[in-house]
Amino acid sequence: MTLSMPDLAQQYRAALLGDVIPFWQRHSLDREHGGFFTCLARDGAVYDTDKFVWLQARQVWLFSMLYNRLEPREEWLATARHGADFLRQHGMDQHGDWYFALDRAGRPLVQPYNIFSDCFAAMALSQYALASGDDGARALAEQTYRNILRRKDHPKGAYSKAVPDTRPLVSLALPMILANLSLELEWLLDAATFEQAIDMCLREVFGLFLDQDRLVLREHVAPGGQAVDSFEGRLINPGHGIEAMWFLIDIAERRGDRASIERAADVVLSTLELGWDQRHGGIFYFLDARGHPPQQLEWDQKLWWVHVETLVALLKAYRLTGRPECWAWYERVHEYTWARFPDPAHGEWFGYLSRAGEVLLPLKGGKWKGCFHVPRALYLCMRECEALAAAPPAVLS
Amino acid sequence: MTLSMPDLAQQYRAALLGDVIPFWQRHSLDREHGGFFTCLARDGAVYDTDKFVWLQARQVWLFSMLYNRLEPREEWLATARHGADFLRQHGMDQHGDWYFALDRAGRPLVQPYNIFSDCFAAMALSQYALASGDDGARALAEQTYRNILRRKDHPKGAYSKAVPDTRPLVSLALPMILANLSLELEWLLDAATFEQAIDMCLREVFGLFLDQDRLVLREHVAPGGQAVDSFEGRLINPGHGIEAMWFLIDIAERRGDRASIERAADVVLSTLELGWDQRHGGIFYFLDARGHPPQQLEWDQKLWWVHVETLVALLKAYRLTGRPECWAWYERVHEYTWARFPDPAHGEWFGYLSRAGEVLLPLKGGKWKGCFHVPRALYLCMRECEALAAAPPAVLS
């Protein structure tokens, strides 16, 4: 396979603007009740009308981001506003915590047990405030961000089922998402808050969650970073670890921190060595660090977000380090991904493949897949390929 | 395939007494801290030491049941006592609610958010009290049963994440398990409590959860029995529905209620028509009632308990109705099950197969699979085949 950078950039641009964005514009807007349908069948038909705050917020973010960074198209801003209005009207309880799910009309279905609803809401409102100049959205983004920092050490609050103290664990997900979120919100945070937050993310992700010998990230560790020999403690989520690495690469690039960029690239590569399915290709969803059976029955499935996040991470790592292994892995994952996930018959991408790479669920959107990972990755990969087309990768010595 | 009843009875007996029970006797007893290891690799090696109350209790029940119903072997009673002592010492919080998970030493890990822990504890202690004559176990079984009835309408208590009133739903699982549990505890309940409980189970399972047109059970319905068009409302779990039917057949047989036996047989057959995988054989784990993509990524997997519960249900239905369709389906499911789940190399049965019938996780036990469904089904099928060998099936007109 020979991939040229300008062709790649064009491939990503065409998929983003000619396929994926129009698919969501056409099928996902609820003109009656506001907000977005995300449960879309293969052909875009709505098969369920519940509204999940993660996905409502992520779609607001995506359209705002395209407006801000790619092109100020009025229709994109209008789509973002369509979702932002629904979110602000229905998304929060009386304490300012974000529900997990709403029904079609916006009535709350699932309590704010999940702090990631708040993370995606803050990300959405910040990007939307940048696009729209809406001060209320800006204030709510900032308030939600501070709320997240306040709840950070007990993210599940009263909904936590763990007995305190028997086996305390901390999760990669929160410092990882805060790395991305803090960069997103930098424009509205004071410098001290911002620097403190990204210091914390770098310190925790590399200091607590990284298995220093194998260079893969653990999903859960003891509060001091010790490995814990339990189902949760042994859990490895390769896609999650790789996604975390491009979040940290973004921070490290901003700071000119070459050591962290190199380390993140190491982790991406060693995670791929561990997580790649030698039999069928593709990246496993979950693994047990000791090779025991994982608890997750879906462990061997091939998920869209795992693969597109890996493409982003590899292109960023390649541009910034010039390592040929990054490019070799990029070609391999690119070939696997583009051959299986896009749906030429009906547009957009499949989300869930079996281990063997067959379509497991023919949906284009559901409770967890919305207008987010695919278009974000298409946008980011396009930008990386444009940069690489303009200048060869940096080679660090 | 020609299956003779005496041969079948012998096949089940040999698997139960020559393979499955010795496997758990050999590998699962924790001689140091008490209780049972249930996370056993293919060869029986312990790969995790956490103790899940469902599985601790189910193993206590199983060994007590064999002692009570098959043969009063001292080693079986000793094994039951080994688990019952651990459960009583560590299993409950200060309110008498049963934890979901403990660590190896018995320290609580996961709060009593799950009322099925209480159900299996009551079932275990009742059967163990019958075996041992232990009055404390008997009293605790009864107290736990009353506690379950008290918590029945809010089984998750403070751990429920559903916003009350927006979309109230009730679950098949609780009336279904109470059908079985009430029969188990009949000997220690007063007649009124018992009759009321089994009336409620028959009324709710057939009256609320049964789709009267398609004759399949819904997992969740509105409190009045209305179908709800949401992920939870559309969920069908064929194995669960079929298992519920043999619980009701047991009740109906005890009462001489032929109409309920016929109805349960109808439901078993129509659930198999819906749930059978025409492509690879075997019974799907989850389906969406409207054919939409289910939320559960593991929907197409073939699970041990689904298949062995189906064998039990079909033999009971065949013995009591004489319908040739029950026998035809029995032969089909028997062939599928016995060809794929038992592990001749290391003993015991695999639990989790892919859609195509390949081993997905090589474990013999884990967080959900323990010493329960396989040996219970082997015992029950053996008894059904013995009865059928002694007398032809009843043919109802």
Side-chain angles (χ1 to χ4, degrees):
Chain A
M1 181 171 50
T2 315
L3 300 172
S4 92
M5 284 300 168
D7 288 352
L8 275 177
Q10 183 47 38
Q11 179 176 351
Y12 284 114
R13 181 179 291 268
L16 178 68
L17 298 180
D19 172 16
V20 172
I21 292 302
F23 186 93
W24 290 94
Q25 286 280 53
R26 200 157 52 236
H27 300 295
S28 76
L29 274 73
D30 183 352
R31 305 278 179 197
E32 197 175 326
H33 290 274
F36 305 116
F37 299 119
T38 65
C39 295
L40 304 181
R42 182 173 179 187
D43 63 358
V46 176
Y47 66 87
D48 192 278
T49 60
D50 283 351
K51 290 171 180 162
F52 304 98
V53 168
W54 282 33
L55 301 196
Q56 299 294 312
R58 284 167 155 188
Q59 187 159 349
V60 171
W61 177 84
L62 196 279
F63 278 90
S64 303
M65 182 280 288
L66 290 180
Y67 180 90
N68 291 329
R69 300 190 197 161
L70 187 56
E71 239 182 84
R73 291 195 196 174
E74 260 321 303
E75 58 180 305
W76 290 348
L77 182 58
T79 299
R81 182 180 302 115
H82 181 84
D85 288 348
F86 183 86
L87 262 186
R88 285 198 281 182
Q89 198 174 345
H90 303 292
M92 278 176 301
D93 72 5
Q94 71 274 25
H95 308 296
D97 295 328
W98 292 81
Y99 291 112
F100 181 76
L102 312 168
D103 72 5
R104 182 177 175 185
R107 284 183 293 260
L109 281 170
V110 180
Q111 302 281 11
Y113 78 96
N114 184 302
I115 200 170
F116 300 103
S117 305
D118 304 73
C119 293
F120 297 122
M123 185 170 159
L125 292 166
S126 163
Q127 196 68 232
Y128 174 67
L130 264 181
S132 63
D134 181 323
D135 285 336
R138 176 188 165 134
L140 189 50
E142 187 180 349
Q143 176 194 317
T144 298
Y145 180 80
R146 294 194 186 279
N147 209 6
I148 294 163
L149 294 185
R150 191 175 49 70
R151 286 168 64 191
K152 177 179 174 296
D153 294 327
H154 301 281
K156 293 188 190 166
Y159 298 101
S160 172
K161 295 183 287 198
V163 174
D165 303 329
T166 311
R167 186 188 289 158
L169 288 174
V170 291
S171 294
L172 170 64
L174 199 52
M176 161 185 166
I177 208 76
L178 279 173
N180 184 245
L181 183 60
S182 301
L183 276 182
E184 281 282 328
L185 267 66
E186 181 181 1
W187 70 283
L188 55 74
L189 297 174
D190 61 275
T193 302
F194 171 73
E195 294 292 337
Q196 232 177 322
I198 64 175
D199 279 343
M200 179 275 288
C201 295
L202 274 165
R203 192 177 61 239
E204 290 198 359
V205 174
F206 281 147
L208 297 183
F209 295 95
L210 185 62
D211 176 336
Q212 307 287 344
D213 298 322
R214 304 170 74 191
L215 293 181
V216 294
L217 287 158
R218 301 183 176 108
E219 284 296 303
H220 309 282
V221 294
Q226 300 86 345
V228 175
D229 187 11
S230 71
F231 282 107
E232 285 180 300
R234 292 189 303 268
L235 186 65
I236 292 176
N237 179 330
H240 218 213
I242 291 170
E243 186 182 11
M245 289 302 95
W246 79 249
F247 292 172
L248 292 205
I249 287 175
D250 277 359
I251 290 178
E253 183 180 13
R254 188 184 168 290
R255 290 186 159 183
D257 172 0
R258 288 183 164 210
S260 293
I261 291 172
E262 288 290 340
R263 163 152 291 213
D266 290 338
V267 174
V268 170
L269 294 170
S270 51
T271 304
L272 282 165
E273 295 290 346
L274 182 75
W276 187 257
D277 180 358
Q278 298 295 341
R279 181 170 159 202
H280 292 285
I283 302 160
F284 288 121
Y285 189 9
F286 292 109
L287 293 169
D288 181 288
R290 301 195 173 197
H292 299 316
Q295 231 183 86
Q296 289 78 9
L297 299 185
E298 64 272 34
W299 74 274
D300 69 350
Q301 296 175 10
K302 310 295 164 61
L303 268 66
W304 85 105
W305 67 265
V306 171
H307 292 79
V308 301
E309 295 301 316
T310 300
L311 294 175
V312 173
L314 286 166
L315 284 175
K316 284 183 187 277
Y318 179 61
R319 177 173 57 80
L320 290 163
T321 71
R323 292 202 209 166
E325 314 92 274
C326 291
W327 184 248
W329 267 112
Y330 174 78
E331 289 190 310
R332 195 174 193 179
V333 179
H334 174 95
E335 184 184 30
Y336 181 90
T337 302
W338 281 89
R340 287 166 185 81
F341 287 100
D343 176 13
H346 294 274
E348 237 273 334
W349 290 34
F350 294 115
Y352 302 90
L353 310 182
S354 70
R355 178 170 182 181
E358 290 189 332
V359 174
L360 178 77
L361 295 170
L363 57 81
K364 295 298 163 51
K367 182 174 174 182
W368 305 102
K369 181 175 189 287
C371 179
F372 184 64
H373 285 285
V374 171
R376 180 176 75 171
L378 293 174
Y379 170 78
L380 291 171
C381 287
M382 176 187 88
R383 289 302 197 205
E384 292 298 329
C385 291
E386 287 171 355
L388 282 161
V395 178
L396 306 179
S397 60
Chain B
M1 181 172 48
T2 315
L3 300 172
S4 91
M5 285 298 169
D7 287 354
L8 277 175
Q10 183 47 38
Q11 179 177 349
Y12 285 113
R13 182 180 289 269
L16 178 67
L17 299 180
D19 173 15
V20 172
I21 293 301
F23 186 93
W24 290 94
Q25 287 280 52
R26 201 156 54 236
H27 299 296
S28 77
L29 274 72
D30 183 352
R31 305 276 178 200
E32 195 176 328
H33 291 274
F36 306 116
F37 299 119
T38 65
C39 295
L40 304 181
R42 182 171 181 188
D43 62 359
V46 176
Y47 66 87
D48 192 278
T49 60
D50 282 351
K51 290 173 180 163
F52 305 100
V53 168
W54 282 33
L55 300 196
Q56 299 295 312
R58 284 167 155 188
Q59 187 159 351
V60 171
W61 177 84
L62 196 280
F63 277 91
S64 303
M65 183 279 289
L66 290 180
Y67 180 89
N68 291 329
R69 299 189 198 160
L70 188 56
E71 237 184 271
R73 292 195 196 174
E74 261 321 303
E75 58 181 304
W76 290 348
L77 183 58
T79 299
R81 182 179 303 115
H82 182 85
D85 289 348
F86 183 86
L87 262 186
R88 284 199 281 183
Q89 198 174 345
H90 303 292
M92 279 176 299
D93 72 5
Q94 71 275 25
H95 309 296
D97 296 328
W98 292 81
Y99 291 112
F100 182 76
L102 313 168
D103 72 4
R104 181 177 176 186
R107 284 182 294 260
L109 281 169
V110 180
Q111 302 281 12
Y113 77 96
N114 184 303
I115 200 168
F116 300 103
S117 305
D118 303 74
C119 294
F120 297 121
M123 186 171 158
L125 292 166
S126 164
Q127 196 66 235
Y128 174 67
L130 265 181
S132 64
D134 182 325
D135 285 337
R138 175 189 165 135
L140 188 50
E142 187 181 351
Q143 176 194 317
T144 299
Y145 180 80
R146 295 194 184 278
N147 208 7
I148 294 163
L149 294 184
R150 193 176 47 72
R151 287 168 63 192
K152 175 179 174 296
D153 294 327
H154 301 282
K156 292 188 189 168
Y159 298 100
S160 171
K161 295 183 288 199
V163 175
D165 303 329
T166 311
R167 185 187 289 154
L169 288 174
V170 291
S171 295
L172 171 63
L174 198 53
M176 161 186 166
I177 208 77
L178 279 173
N180 183 247
L181 183 59
S182 301
L183 276 183
E184 281 282 329
L185 268 67
E186 182 182 359
W187 71 282
L188 54 75
L189 298 174
D190 61 276
T193 302
F194 171 72
E195 293 293 336
Q196 233 178 324
I198 64 174
D199 279 342
M200 179 275 288
C201 295
L202 273 166
R203 192 176 61 240
E204 291 199 358
V205 173
F206 280 147
L208 297 182
F209 294 96
L210 185 61
D211 176 336
Q212 306 287 343
D213 298 322
R214 303 170 74 191
L215 293 181
V216 295
L217 288 158
R218 302 184 175 106
E219 285 295 304
H220 311 281
V221 294
Q226 301 86 348
V228 175
D229 187 11
S230 70
F231 281 107
E232 285 179 301
R234 292 189 303 270
L235 187 65
I236 292 175
N237 180 330
H240 218 213
I242 291 169
E243 186 182 10
M245 288 304 93
W246 78 250
F247 292 172
L248 292 205
I249 287 175
D250 277 357
I251 289 178
E253 183 180 11
R254 186 183 170 289
R255 290 185 160 186
D257 172 359
R258 287 184 164 210
S260 292
I261 292 171
E262 287 291 338
R263 163 150 290 212
D266 290 339
V267 174
V268 170
L269 294 170
S270 52
T271 305
L272 282 165
E273 295 290 346
L274 183 76
W276 186 257
D277 180 357
Q278 298 296 341
R279 182 170 159 201
H280 293 285
I283 303 159
F284 289 121
Y285 189 9
F286 293 109
L287 293 169
D288 181 288
R290 301 194 174 199
H292 299 315
Q295 232 183 86
Q296 290 77 10
L297 300 185
E298 63 274 32
W299 73 275
D300 69 349
Q301 297 175 9
K302 310 293 164 61
L303 268 67
W304 86 105
W305 68 264
V306 171
H307 293 79
V308 301
E309 294 303 316
T310 300
L311 294 176
V312 173
L314 285 166
L315 283 176
K316 283 182 188 276
Y318 178 60
R319 176 173 57 80
L320 290 163
T321 72
R323 293 202 210 166
E325 314 93 274
C326 290
W327 182 248
W329 267 111
Y330 174 79
E331 289 190 309
R332 195 173 192 181
V333 179
H334 174 97
E335 184 182 30
Y336 181 90
T337 302
W338 282 90
R340 287 164 183 81
F341 287 100
D343 177 13
H346 294 275
E348 236 273 336
W349 290 34
F350 294 115
Y352 301 90
L353 310 182
S354 71
R355 179 171 181 180
E358 291 190 331
V359 174
L360 178 77
L361 294 171
L363 57 81
K364 296 297 163 51
K367 183 175 173 181
W368 304 103
K369 182 177 189 287
C371 179
F372 185 62
H373 285 286
V374 171
R376 181 176 72 171
L378 293 174
Y379 171 77
L380 291 170
C381 288
M382 177 187 87
R383 289 300 197 206
E384 293 297 329
C385 291
E386 287 171 356
L388 282 160
V395 179
L396 306 180
S397 58

